[in-house]
Amino acid sequence: MTDKNKEHIERTIRRCALELHPSGELRRLASAMGATPKVFRHWINRGRVPKVKAVWLENHFGKEIADASTLTA
């Protein structure tokens, strides 16, 4: 896990939140994913997103925004 991975995860999550709603509120994205906003901090600190959630992000926001292969690396 590198700082670069952490930054990529955080950028992707924030971009997905903005795509979902103009406010960019993470709680809205968390709700849509069936998670809590706290989980995002956990993923960022780990530098990776669990495969199931990474695929969910890719399916909902497209590979250009949330490429599952780069989120789970």
Side-chain angles (χ1 to χ4, degrees):
M1 155 188 63
T2 66
D3 286 342
K4 201 170 194 177
N5 288 2
K6 291 178 181 183
E7 291 169 8
H8 173 67
I9 300 299
E10 184 168 8
R11 260 192 327 270
T12 301
I13 289 170
R14 292 197 180 277
R15 180 147 183 220
C16 290
L18 276 170
E19 291 288 325
L20 184 66
H21 191 272
S23 69
E25 293 176 339
L26 294 178
R27 68 181 174 86
R28 291 179 185 265
L29 178 60
S31 178
M33 295 180 78
T36 66
K38 289 181 181 182
V39 78
F40 298 136
R41 184 58 42 203
H42 178 70
W43 295 347
I44 292 166
N45 288 336
R46 286 183 56 209
R48 64 182 306 275
V49 176
K51 185 172 179 150
V52 170
K53 295 301 185 182
V55 169
W56 187 95
L57 289 168
E58 182 178 295
N59 288 339
H60 282 78
F61 300 104
K63 200 169 192 134
E64 302 79 30
I65 294 173
D67 184 347
S69 66
T70 65
L71 297 173
T72 58

